[in-house]
Amino acid sequence: MASYKIALLDGDGIGPEIMREAIKILELIATRNDIEFELDHGAFGANAYFEHGHPFPDATKQLCDEADAILKGPIGLSHEESKKIPVDMQPERGALLPLRARYNTFANFRPVFLPKGLAHFSPLKPEIIGDGIDFIIIRELVGGLYFGKKETGINEHGKRYVSESLEYDEDQIARIAKVAFDTAQKRKRVLHNIHKSNVLKSSVLWNEVIGEVSQDYPEVEVKHILVDAAATYLCLNPGQFDVMVMENMFGDILSDQAGGILGSLGLMPSACVGPDKAYYEPAHGSAPDIAGQNIANPYAMIGSVAMMLEMSFNLEAEAKNVWHAMQSVFTQGYSTPDLSSPGVAVNMISTDSFGDLVAAELAKL
Ligand code: IPM
Ligand code: MG
């Protein structure tokens, strides 16, 4: 029997609630595929800081080192609570970026998917949504401004100043470009390259390398779009996109905008893949305002499980089944209060009931 270790990092806020639903799905998949998933929880995030003195404790690092894959919940506390944590120990800087750096998870996949039946979640008009939204953002995740040199101090005029640098070398660009071209090759063979080469030198090099890598993918058409224009097109005509590739900060911002056109970041799972290890996480935050109320939708968390099944364990058919199960719970008219939009008639259920229904649908497939 195949046996895999999965490190579960519940995180903060709604993290533990949605993790419970993800576990239901993993357990069902394990039983019916004769697989063993060894599931171990590790402390990670703001709560880990308060309980263990560090947001990414050594014990969690070891757990992750030994795991075949990592499933991570959202992290972070309210603005007020965060202030109780020293800046470098806050979970984004103290845990999440170090997790990405530790496993060099340079390739971030963020599918932006809303089938026609779920179009009512989107704030866009039906005529713009057409047959639904279906594209994927591929974001470089371990370079650029978020990982560049940082300096703060007092300048020669006695003024406080800050400097942060955006650095990429050609290898870092080429490896994410290959991931993007490979993905485009498997889909519609159109790749949108997002850049800002009219201003940033980093984008000039980025585009050069994209051009070089494209030589190996003659069947993929590359379309270049400035990042600011891409933000507009995402609202006006998201249907034109299939695969989009971009550097770290552009991807951070545009993927949140993409969550907006779906209607919620709660509908966006993600995969963060490195050379030897991958971790999976919902792209949304920890929603401290609704934590503990059993109303958060576990879709992005369970979707992250689906991505793990496909990308880490080669269980492609089961990954599809998980997606189908979730869609059918939605199309039967169920939703959770956090996702509901005013005026839409839905049968409002709790986080755990939603997870139960997904598991029941999955059991039928
Ligand atoms: C994301 C998040 C993170 C990022 C934060 C929490 C550091 O916004 O995964 O998009 O900026 O990458
Ligand atoms: Mg973000």
Side-chain angles (χ1 to χ4, degrees):
M1 188 189 345
S3 173
Y4 300 112
K5 283 183 191 220
I6 304 177
L8 304 175
L9 314 181
D10 294 26
D12 302 316
I14 57 171
E17 297 161 56
I18 56 177
M19 182 64 85
R20 277 196 286 278
E21 305 316 310
I23 293 172
K24 284 179 190 165
I25 303 304
L26 281 169
E27 284 173 346
L28 176 58
I29 297 289
T31 357
R32 71 184 195 185
N33 288 281
D34 201 23
I35 296 175
E36 190 187 26
F37 287 133
E38 196 184 304
L39 306 175
D40 291 302
H41 295 263
F44 191 79
N47 289 325
Y49 171 78
F50 291 124
E51 280 164 36
H52 306 277
H54 200 286
F56 190 9
D58 286 343
T60 304
K61 287 185 181 132
Q62 197 183 334
L63 183 74
C64 293
D65 286 351
E66 289 164 6
D68 295 297
I70 300 163
L71 184 62
K72 178 199 148 285
I75 51 157
L77 297 177
S78 66
H79 189 66
E80 283 311 304
E81 289 296 304
S82 297
K83 283 199 258 174
K84 297 180 185 159
I85 307 180
V87 171
D88 287 331
M89 288 284 138
Q90 287 172 359
E92 294 80 2
R93 256 181 299 260
L96 183 56
L97 296 185
L99 173 71
R100 290 175 182 171
R102 189 173 185 86
Y103 303 115
N104 200 5
T105 55
F106 67 94
N108 180 209
F109 297 76
R110 294 194 164 170
V112 185
F113 179 55
L114 196 71
K116 205 170 181 178
L118 304 189
H120 57 275
F121 283 118
S122 173
L124 299 183
K125 293 181 189 141
E127 58 267 34
I128 289 184
I129 295 178
D131 288 335
I133 297 172
D134 183 6
F135 62 94
I136 182 162
I137 290 182
I138 298 188
R139 167 187 176 193
E140 200 291 326
L141 200 60
V142 296
L145 268 178
Y146 293 15
F147 287 86
K149 282 193 232 54
K150 293 172 201 299
E151 198 180 279
T152 48
I154 307 286
N155 69 13
E156 68 266 30
H157 308 293
K159 302 285 183 194
R160 286 171 297 164
Y161 82 97
V162 58
S163 151
E164 295 186 295
S165 50
L166 198 173
E167 289 170 29
Y168 277 107
D169 72 25
E170 56 181 320
D171 292 348
Q172 281 176 299
I173 302 170
R175 66 180 179 174
I176 189 72
K178 284 186 191 123
V179 169
F181 277 101
D182 284 335
T183 308
Q185 181 89 43
K186 286 188 220 135
R187 294 177 51 121
K188 293 186 182 159
R189 300 184 176 177
V190 178
L191 176 63
H192 281 88
N193 174 45
I194 309 303
H195 66 93
K196 184 73 186 173
S197 72
N198 52 351
V199 176
L200 299 177
K201 287 279 180 77
S202 52
S203 284
V204 173
L205 178 63
W206 178 279
N207 290 356
E208 250 171 56
V209 177
I210 292 279
E212 288 155 17
V213 174
S214 76
Q215 303 297 311
D216 297 332
Y217 298 86
E219 287 160 4
V220 176
E221 182 189 359
V222 184
K223 296 189 175 183
H224 300 277
I225 303 200
L226 290 165
V227 61
D228 44 355
T232 309
Y233 292 137
L234 276 174
C235 297
L236 296 182
N237 180 15
Q240 72 186 283
F241 297 115
D242 190 53
V243 180
M244 303 172 85
V245 64
M246 63 202 82
E247 66 87 42
N248 202 345
M249 188 169 71
F250 295 166
D252 189 21
I253 298 170
L254 288 193
S255 63
D256 265 39
Q257 190 188 345
I261 70 175
L262 293 180
S264 170
L265 274 180
L267 297 172
M268 200 192 289
S270 81
C272 309
V273 182
D276 308 313
K277 202 173 305 255
Y279 84 89
Y280 300 83
E281 64 177 351
H284 59 72
S286 59
D289 51 324
I290 60 163
Q293 294 177 32
N294 201 18
I295 61 173
N297 200 288
Y299 180 95
M301 191 76 192
I302 296 177
S304 300
V305 168
M307 295 183 83
M308 173 187 281
L309 294 176
E310 180 182 340
M311 299 170 83
S312 283
F313 303 129
N314 289 319
L315 291 165
E316 216 161 288
E318 286 289 39
K320 286 207 175 80
N321 290 337
V322 173
W323 287 117
H324 281 141
M326 285 202 290
Q327 307 308 344
S328 69
V329 173
F330 276 132
T331 46
Q332 286 166 46
Y334 294 102
S335 187
T336 49
D338 64 326
L339 284 187
S340 61
S341 45
V344 176
V346 288
N347 189 348
M348 220 64 88
I349 55 174
S350 60
T351 305
D352 56 347
S353 306
F354 193 93
D356 288 341
L357 285 180
V358 174
E361 283 302 317
L362 181 58
K364 292 185 203 158
L365 298 171

